[in-house]
Amino acid sequence: MSQDGYTKNEMMIAASARTLAGERVCFVGVGLPNIVCNLAQRTVSPELQLVYEAGVFGARPQRLPLSIGDPTLVSGSTAVTSMFELFAFYLQAGLIDAAFLGGAQIDRFGNLNTTVIGDYAAPKVRLPGSGGACEIAIHARRILVIMRQATRSFVGDLDFQTSPGHSGDPAHDRARGWFGSGPTSVVTDLATFGFDEETGEMTLLTVHPGVTIDDVRANMGWDPRLSGSLGETPPPTEDELRLIRTQLDPQGMYTS
Amino acid sequence: MSQDGYTKNEMMIAASARTLAGERVCFVGVGLPNIVCNLAQRTVSPELQLVYEAGVFGARPQRLPLSIGDPTLVSGSTAVTSMFELFAFYLQAGLIDAAFLGGAQIDRFGNLNTTVIGDYAAPKVRLPGSGGACEIAIHARRILVIMRQATRSFVGDLDFQTSPGHSGDPAHDRARGWFGSGPTSVVTDLATFGFDEETGEMTLLTVHPGVTIDDVRANMGWDPRLSGSLGETPPPTEDELRLIRTQLDPQGMYTS
Amino acid sequence: MSGRVGGTSKTATMADAVGELVRDGDTVAIEGFTHLICFAAGHEIIRQRKRDLTLARMTPDVIYDQMIGAGVARKLIFSWLGNPGVGSLHAVRRRIEHADPEPLEIEEYSHFGMVCRYVAGASNLPFFPIRSYYESDIPSVNPNIKPMRSPYEDGTEVYVVPPLRPDVTIVHAQRATAAGDTQIWGLLGCQKEAAFAAERVIVVCEEVVDEAVVRRDPNRTVIPGIVVDAVVEQPFACHPSYAQGYYDRDNAFYLEWERISKDPEALERWLKEWVHGLEGHTEYVARMGDRWDGLMAGERLSGQVNYGDYS
Amino acid sequence: MSGRVGGTSKTATMADAVGELVRDGDTVAIEGFTHLICFAAGHEIIRQRKRDLTLARMTPDVIYDQMIGAGVARKLIFSWLGNPGVGSLHAVRRRIEHADPEPLEIEEYSHFGMVCRYVAGASNLPFFPIRSYYESDIPSVNPNIKPMRSPYEDGTEVYVVPPLRPDVTIVHAQRATAAGDTQIWGLLGCQKEAAFAAERVIVVCEEVVDEAVVRRDPNRTVIPGIVVDAVVEQPFACHPSYAQGYYDRDNAFYLEWERISKDPEALERWLKEWVHGLEGHTEYVARMGDRWDGLMAGERLSGQVNYGDYS
């Protein structure tokens, strides 16, 4: 809890939820993204439909889901689908408008590593791997990244590219013919970033209250491009904090 | 009704049912094949499992089904499957041991035409086409043919090959690597045929009671190869006739 | 989507749904394998005199014989062309065999090929591989069916079919919510795949039910509202086909159709009396009168399962 | 199939089913996406000290960390390697990162790639095309993932994955008949595809039910008896995973596992106490005692549908 009366996670959640304004169908896992999506549904994006990556539609969880396949997501939902149909008929078919990804490493073009730290054949740290991330990055129309920021995670060169972001060559990106357009926003515990229309490079948009640009610079592996309209992230509103604390994560499992 | 006290269809049904001895899983449509399979289940092949080509397993029809998708096949069955799974997971995967096919034309190697009489682009008669016949012929381990016999249907050359039978080159047939082995029997209103192990050619096995070899010859477009042990088809037994008339087709819709 | 069939509630009349979502020149799929064939939608398309449609269906059945006889279509994509268990589709045959009254372009596959075209369309795949068509003449009359080799050691030869993406798919269901969450039981055919493959989807149902009914049994949902554009409540819309648990197949009508379809004038009269002469399907149902008595389904309940309360 | 698990009734004890159907060196898939993960079968495989298994699973989860920690496997095929929402699978990581106590061969895909490997295996397809892996390093470390071009005009590039055909697939279900007709509700994962893809199939269930129960709702059947070799009635066999409508996921155990898995000796002790030290899962369930009190599911019924009486 910062002296401003909200936690870093609450700031990340509020800032991330705002990036979902106007989205229609969001692919969601548990943890922070689950809280972010449910907050967006109650604030900026009332029409938002959540598709849980275990294959559940229109979930009405009666408690905070503790796993992506929590049974409370299924009871009372509008539809359940097999993994094949979820990936083939929904994701690959372009029905998913937005999805959240994170990773152990991200580079300046939003490429993500969730596979390994060190050499693949002789790993320093073996990470979980792709899961659905690789195809989500390719097919979800907007990728929203939530990651805590550090020089070891915001790196110049990935040890392994699990999921593609922007290539750095906008002409190439346009020619891909994917539904996915690479990440459009990155929200960290220090700041929010977008990606430059032209170069596809990560661009610092706002720093969170009490954070300096130098703090941001000190916690990433390259000198970030700065937005022309660089500003401060609006802090969580009372309404956002009330929803998070009373409805979405009353035990503060993800937000304290 | 012949003077022997049974009809031509009853002879065909009884003779066909006997060819199912020992089979485990049979792909079945309505009409004669439905009655044949149900007769086999009650006589030579009690373990026979019927898979209706509309995607129904373990059907317990409470009345004679009048279409391949008759609702009476569904109520009380053990499983229903989508057409994709039926063709991909069952048929293409080799789970079907036996299936019935027929057609407007068959040649001496058991190739079948259900597509067109005359030229495809300017047909004399447009027939239904393949339906599932093409893949059934390729994947079902045994193909059983039931057809009324006539020179216009047992032909030297098909107008169109819808479903492959034997190629006439046994080495080629063995090299195909299909689950299907080409038709193994043909039952007509006059006789029963098998296929020669070596040449894959249709071979007259038995003629029905009261039918002569000349009758059979007079009703096909080539001079048939004769089995060394050519004999007479055993007529329907009293038990077979009782089952057909009292249980399987009491109204005589398919058997009179 | 226009106002009338848009919004959170997608409920619409058959006339509005067909009027706004089916356009001249469209590729239209009305699917349902024997079961749940939405004749009422086909009749509305005839009534609205749509033109130059490409009709796709595994088994064209009587419904496409009626539509093609009525002149709404220029092309047919199919895998089995007949009146199941009865005979031929004579209106279709007249056009194929004698260009009478005009030619009909055809594109044919096997059942498995058609199903996989829908799967490819639903999955946004550029092609779908199947083990079929070996030593068959079908690929020789349909260049869309191409041979391909496995890139793995085995080098197995398969054939591929292209995706089928209808402009409109129309499916019938026992029940759906106003938002389009659709539940079907009994034979499933390829409706799910055909719906996901389509640009626009019309769900016609026996009953529009409260969301709570669907939420009680989410595994029963076959098509989610997310892909549905319009929901039309039209009881008995499948006659002479059927809806499992609601009414039976009218096999007598399939037999009668053989005679009607054989005679162009009888077909004209039938269309005049049963389609053009009627406001819509509600009138058709009423006009059938006590023919329904023999078609109603008795009760045979599924039993319940427990999803569990996890609060 | 040997006598004990053969015949029309395929019911068997877990010990017999695993003893006869799981063989050293087999490729084994115990599937279930979060839901219906059959831990009891994994424990029996450990108890019987099977060796040199290749374990396949989209999400290896705690069950494969236990099995790999116990030394039954030489290779792992997967798409996401973690303790969902908690942390790592430390026994697996020790073997990958430090060959401790011995190396573990790995073969990895994305989720969609794994699912499609099962679909290809179930469908007897030599390969399955998907739109994934573009500009990813995954194909560079897995040569089984190959690029391919569409043979149609568009020439779209896809990647293909090879069929996965486990020697044995083990799935858990809420209920099945003695003949193996299996009904599942809640999350479906890829169990159906994994079962059809396998040479041998073991269905473990909460309840073996009378055929009449299944026949009341045939659309609920996910796996037909035709592909099932053994049916094992083993209530609570999924703990700490869950069975929708029967019991809840034991999230506390997943948290505890983080600590146990981190320490090889704690893992040894856990295996000794909860696997090797027990006769079987019935004893495991009893030993859990009142831990079950917090895990039982309340009632939330599906409602019934009418299939119709067509006699």
Side-chain angles (χ1 to χ4, degrees):
Chain A
M1 183 76 63
S2 79
Q3 71 263 23
D4 323 294
Y6 54 85
T7 68
K8 285 183 164 184
N9 279 6
E10 286 171 336
M11 180 72 257
M12 284 174 82
I13 290 165
S16 300
R18 297 165 193 161
T19 66
L20 282 171
E23 297 298 343
R24 192 167 147 270
V25 182
C26 184
F27 207 61
V28 53
V30 288
L32 284 187
N34 175 57
I35 295 168
V36 168
C37 292
N38 281 282
L39 178 60
Q41 231 178 12
R42 290 162 172 75
T43 54
V44 294
S45 204
E47 295 291 293
L48 191 67
Q49 299 184 59
L50 305 189
V51 179
Y52 283 86
E53 55 189 357
V56 183
F57 300 78
R60 289 267 180 85
Q62 296 179 287
R63 68 185 185 202
L64 185 67
L66 295 177
S67 80
I68 53 173
D70 193 308
T72 197
L73 293 170
V74 172
S75 294
S77 65
T78 57
V80 172
T81 186
S82 73
M83 293 307 276
F84 174 72
E85 285 167 11
L86 181 71
F87 281 102
F89 294 2
Y90 295 84
L91 186 62
Q92 186 168 257
L95 294 180
I96 306 300
D97 296 319
F100 289 89
L101 290 177
Q105 295 180 329
I106 187 168
D107 69 16
R108 70 174 62 199
F109 295 111
N111 296 294
L112 287 160
N113 172 18
T114 54
T115 301
V116 66
I117 300 298
D119 175 37
Y120 184 83
K124 187 149 359 105
V125 181
R126 173 63 220 202
L127 303 166
S130 167
C134 182
E135 38 263 356
I136 289 168
I138 289 165
H139 298 296
R141 290 166 193 269
R142 285 187 62 206
I143 295 298
L144 312 171
V145 176
I146 307 182
M147 275 172 73
R148 286 185 169 270
Q149 204 179 315
T151 49
R152 74 170 187 296
S153 53
F154 281 60
V155 298
D157 296 297
L158 302 177
D159 291 4
F160 188 97
Q161 181 158 316
T162 311
S163 310
H166 304 273
S167 68
D169 171 358
H172 170 88
D173 290 0
R174 280 189 295 274
R176 279 165 161 172
W178 304 348
F179 293 117
S181 57
T184 54
S185 86
V186 176
V187 174
T188 76
D189 49 330
L190 302 177
T192 73
F193 299 82
F195 288 84
D196 182 72
E197 283 297 320
E198 253 326 295
T199 64
E201 184 179 344
M202 200 185 295
T203 305
L204 181 61
L205 297 181
T206 67
V207 293
H208 297 341
V211 177
T212 69
I213 297 182
D214 286 344
D215 298 333
V216 174
R217 284 204 176 96
N219 286 284
M220 55 197 298
W222 70 90
D223 190 26
R225 182 191 179 97
L226 307 184
S227 161
S229 57
L230 181 60
E232 183 176 86
T233 317
T237 65
E238 298 217 339
D239 188 42
E240 288 167 337
L241 291 173
R242 183 184 52 75
L243 288 164
I244 293 169
R245 294 171 183 176
T246 63
Q247 293 180 27
L248 304 177
D249 187 14
Q251 287 89 26
M253 294 190 60
Y254 297 101
T255 50
S256 50
Chain B
M1 183 76 64
S2 80
Q3 72 261 23
D4 322 295
Y6 54 86
T7 67
K8 286 183 165 186
N9 279 5
E10 286 171 335
M11 179 72 257
M12 285 174 82
I13 290 164
S16 300
R18 298 164 193 159
T19 65
L20 282 172
E23 297 298 343
R24 190 166 150 271
V25 182
C26 184
F27 207 62
V28 52
V30 288
L32 285 187
N34 174 57
I35 295 168
V36 168
C37 292
N38 281 282
L39 179 60
Q41 231 180 10
R42 291 161 171 75
T43 54
V44 295
S45 204
E47 296 291 294
L48 191 66
Q49 300 184 58
L50 306 188
V51 179
Y52 283 85
E53 55 189 356
V56 183
F57 300 78
R60 288 266 179 85
Q62 294 179 289
R63 67 184 186 205
L64 185 68
L66 295 178
S67 80
I68 53 173
D70 193 308
T72 196
L73 293 171
V74 172
S75 294
S77 65
T78 56
V80 172
T81 186
S82 73
M83 294 307 275
F84 174 72
E85 285 167 10
L86 181 70
F87 282 102
F89 294 2
Y90 296 83
L91 186 63
Q92 187 167 257
L95 294 179
I96 306 299
D97 296 320
F100 288 89
L101 291 177
Q105 295 181 329
I106 187 169
D107 70 15
R108 70 173 61 201
F109 295 111
N111 297 295
L112 288 160
N113 172 18
T114 54
T115 302
V116 67
I117 300 299
D119 176 39
Y120 184 83
K124 185 144 12 94
V125 181
R126 173 63 221 203
L127 304 165
S130 167
C134 181
E135 39 263 356
I136 288 168
I138 289 165
H139 298 295
R141 289 165 193 270
R142 285 188 61 207
I143 295 298
L144 312 170
V145 177
I146 307 183
M147 275 172 73
R148 288 187 167 267
Q149 204 181 314
T151 49
R152 75 171 186 296
S153 52
F154 281 58
V155 298
D157 296 294
L158 302 177
D159 292 1
F160 188 96
Q161 181 158 315
T162 312
S163 309
H166 305 274
S167 69
D169 171 357
H172 170 88
D173 290 0
R174 280 188 296 274
R176 280 166 162 172
W178 305 348
F179 293 118
S181 57
T184 54
S185 87
V186 176
V187 174
T188 76
D189 50 329
L190 301 177
T192 72
F193 300 82
F195 287 83
D196 182 73
E197 283 296 320
E198 252 328 292
T199 64
E201 183 180 344
M202 201 186 295
T203 305
L204 181 62
L205 297 180
T206 68
V207 293
H208 297 341
V211 177
T212 69
I213 296 182
D214 287 344
D215 297 332
V216 175
R217 284 205 176 95
N219 286 284
M220 54 199 297
W222 71 91
D223 190 24
R225 179 191 180 99
L226 307 183
S227 159
S229 58
L230 182 60
E232 183 176 85
T233 317
T237 65
E238 299 217 337
D239 189 42
E240 288 167 336
L241 290 173
R242 183 182 51 75
L243 288 164
I244 293 169
R245 294 171 183 174
T246 63
Q247 294 181 26
L248 305 177
D249 186 15
Q251 287 90 24
M253 295 191 60
Y254 297 101
T255 50
S256 49
Chain C
M1 293 291 317
S2 95
R4 265 177 302 174
V5 293
T8 313
S9 168
K10 298 166 180 172
T11 54
T13 64
M14 182 72 83
D16 287 344
V18 167
E20 297 176 17
L21 296 172
V22 179
R23 298 153 196 173
D24 290 349
D26 274 356
T27 294
V28 178
I30 302 177
E31 274 296 350
F33 194 84
T34 321
H35 181 214
L36 296 175
I37 304 171
C38 194
F39 276 73
H43 294 168
E44 185 58 30
I45 288 170
I46 295 171
R47 196 175 288 115
Q48 294 189 20
R49 301 189 186 282
K50 302 289 183 183
R51 284 292 176 270
D52 301 319
L53 301 179
T54 292
L55 296 178
R57 215 179 121 70
M58 290 175 69
T59 56
D61 203 88
V62 164
I63 181 59
Y64 279 11
D65 203 40
Q66 294 173 346
M67 293 170 75
I68 286 167
V72 304
R74 52 163 290 273
K75 180 177 179 182
L76 178 63
I77 303 172
F78 70 99
S79 50
W80 193 85
L81 187 69
N83 180 341
V86 175
S88 291
L89 303 177
H90 296 284
V92 174
R93 280 185 57 187
R94 276 192 296 276
R95 288 185 60 177
I96 297 175
E97 294 170 2
H98 310 295
D100 167 18
E102 53 184 338
L104 179 71
E105 190 183 338
I106 61 171
E107 180 181 329
E108 75 182 290
Y109 298 83
S110 61
H111 274 351
F112 194 28
M114 272 296 279
V115 171
C116 292
R117 289 201 64 192
Y118 285 126
V119 174
S123 308
N124 183 34
L125 281 173
F127 64 90
F128 200 92
I130 68 177
R131 293 192 191 230
S132 188
Y133 302 120
Y134 304 125
E135 299 178 33
S136 166
D137 289 337
I138 299 171
S140 71
V141 297
N142 184 346
N144 286 342
I145 303 169
K146 297 178 183 291
M148 176 188 264
R149 285 212 170 278
S150 164
Y152 297 106
E153 303 59 41
D154 57 288
T156 306
E157 185 184 52
V158 297
Y159 278 84
V160 297
V161 292
L164 178 53
R165 298 199 179 90
D167 295 298
V168 192
T169 288
I170 301 172
V171 302
H172 190 90
Q174 282 97 339
R175 66 191 187 193
T177 64
D181 291 308
T182 302
Q183 301 195 320
I184 293 176
W185 54 98
L187 298 178
L188 301 172
C190 60
Q191 283 97 305
K192 174 188 285 193
E193 295 81 359
F196 275 96
E199 178 64 28
R200 306 183 286 275
V201 176
I202 299 174
V203 169
V204 184
C205 58
E206 293 298 314
E207 306 178 73
V208 169
V209 295
D210 187 273
E211 199 177 298
V213 173
V214 163
R215 289 186 181 278
R216 270 201 289 277
D217 196 357
N219 284 98
R220 192 83 71 188
T221 303
V222 171
I223 300 169
I226 184 178
V227 296
V228 175
D229 296 288
V231 176
V232 177
E233 184 176 64
Q234 189 74 71
F236 304 106
C238 298
H239 178 270
S241 172
Y242 72 101
Q244 189 82 40
Y246 286 75
Y247 45 94
D248 201 348
R249 188 168 187 265
D250 189 346
N251 293 294
F253 183 91
Y254 277 88
L255 291 166
E256 292 162 31
W257 187 254
E258 175 71 7
R259 179 183 50 72
I260 297 166
S261 166
K262 259 195 179 126
D263 171 0
E265 283 162 14
L267 174 56
E268 250 333 298
R269 282 194 303 275
W270 188 89
L271 289 170
K272 194 155 180 299
E273 179 177 0
W274 289 94
V275 181
H276 293 298
L278 305 180
E279 274 291 311
H281 195 71
T282 309
E283 201 176 339
Y284 173 105
V285 172
R287 191 186 187 82
M288 277 181 60
D290 44 22
R291 185 172 187 131
W292 286 113
D293 303 348
L295 297 175
M296 301 314 292
E299 188 168 80
R300 200 155 168 192
L301 297 176
S302 64
Q304 304 200 70
V305 299
N306 181 25
Y307 275 88
D309 176 51
Y310 295 96
S311 50
Chain D
M1 294 294 317
S2 94
R4 266 178 299 175
V5 292
T8 314
S9 169
K10 298 166 179 171
T11 55
T13 63
M14 182 71 84
D16 288 344
V18 168
E20 298 177 17
L21 297 171
V22 180
R23 298 154 197 172
D24 290 349
D26 274 357
T27 294
V28 178
I30 302 178
E31 274 297 350
F33 194 85
T34 320
H35 181 214
L36 297 174
I37 304 171
C38 194
F39 276 73
H43 295 167
E44 185 58 30
I45 288 171
I46 295 171
R47 196 176 288 114
Q48 294 190 20
R49 302 188 186 280
K50 302 290 182 182
R51 284 292 175 270
D52 300 319
L53 302 179
T54 292
L55 296 178
R57 216 179 119 72
M58 290 175 69
T59 57
D61 203 88
V62 164
I63 180 60
Y64 279 12
D65 201 42
Q66 293 174 347
M67 294 171 75
I68 286 166
V72 304
R74 52 164 289 275
K75 180 177 178 181
L76 178 62
I77 303 172
F78 70 98
S79 51
W80 193 84
L81 187 69
N83 181 341
V86 176
S88 289
L89 303 177
H90 296 284
V92 174
R93 280 184 58 187
R94 278 192 294 277
R95 289 186 59 178
I96 296 176
E97 294 171 4
H98 310 295
D100 167 19
E102 52 183 338
L104 179 71
E105 190 183 337
I106 61 170
E107 180 181 328
E108 73 182 292
Y109 298 83
S110 61
H111 274 351
F112 194 28
M114 272 296 279
V115 171
C116 292
R117 289 202 64 194
Y118 286 126
V119 173
S123 309
N124 183 34
L125 281 174
F127 63 91
F128 200 92
I130 68 176
R131 294 191 190 231
S132 187
Y133 302 119
Y134 306 125
E135 300 179 31
S136 166
D137 290 336
I138 299 171
S140 70
V141 296
N142 184 346
N144 286 342
I145 302 169
K146 296 179 184 292
M148 177 188 262
R149 287 212 168 277
S150 164
Y152 297 106
E153 303 58 41
D154 57 287
T156 308
E157 185 184 51
V158 297
Y159 278 84
V160 297
V161 292
L164 178 54
R165 298 199 180 89
D167 296 298
V168 192
T169 287
I170 301 173
V171 301
H172 190 89
Q174 281 98 338
R175 65 191 188 193
T177 65
D181 291 308
T182 302
Q183 301 194 320
I184 293 176
W185 53 98
L187 298 179
L188 300 173
C190 60
Q191 284 97 305
K192 174 187 287 193
E193 294 81 358
F196 274 95
E199 177 64 29
R200 306 184 285 276
V201 176
I202 299 174
V203 169
V204 184
C205 58
E206 292 298 313
E207 305 178 73
V208 169
V209 295
D210 187 273
E211 199 177 297
V213 173
V214 163
R215 289 185 180 277
R216 270 200 290 277
D217 196 357
N219 283 96
R220 192 84 70 187
T221 303
V222 171
I223 300 169
I226 186 178
V227 297
V228 175
D229 296 289
V231 177
V232 177
E233 184 176 63
Q234 189 74 70
F236 304 106
C238 297
H239 178 271
S241 171
Y242 72 100
Q244 190 82 40
Y246 286 74
Y247 45 94
D248 201 348
R249 188 169 188 265
D250 189 346
N251 294 294
F253 184 92
Y254 277 87
L255 291 166
E256 292 163 31
W257 187 254
E258 175 72 6
R259 181 184 50 72
I260 297 167
S261 166
K262 258 192 180 132
D263 171 0
E265 283 163 15
L267 173 56
E268 252 330 299
R269 283 194 302 275
W270 188 89
L271 288 171
K272 195 156 180 296
E273 179 177 359
W274 289 95
V275 182
H276 293 299
L278 305 179
E279 274 292 309
H281 195 71
T282 310
E283 203 177 339
Y284 174 104
V285 172
R287 191 185 186 82
M288 277 180 57
D290 42 21
R291 184 171 186 130
W292 286 113
D293 303 349
L295 297 175
M296 300 313 293
E299 190 168 78
R300 198 152 168 194
L301 297 176
S302 65
Q304 303 201 71
V305 300
N306 180 25
Y307 275 89
D309 175 51
Y310 295 95
S311 49

